[in-house]
Amino acid sequence: MTGYFIGGSLGSLVSAQVYAAYGWIGVCVTGAGVAVWAFAVVRR
């Protein structure tokens, strides 16, 4: 449960910072990048 909370908190923090700096395009690119990274980690 703690891991879910930490992940959610970090996701909120990062997405808010990226949105403030780059808008929705930045948030979408960041989300896609995280998804690609997670896929690469799982596939390894």
Side-chain angles (χ1 to χ4, degrees):
M1 209 56 196
T2 302
Y4 282 116
F5 178 79
I6 291 170
S9 297
L10 288 175
S12 294
L13 175 68
V14 170
S15 64
Q17 296 298 317
V18 171
Y19 180 77
Y22 302 105
W24 279 114
I25 297 295
V27 173
C28 293
V29 169
T30 301
V34 169
V36 168
W37 173 78
F39 182 72
V41 168
V42 170
R43 294 281 299 175
R44 191 166 46 141

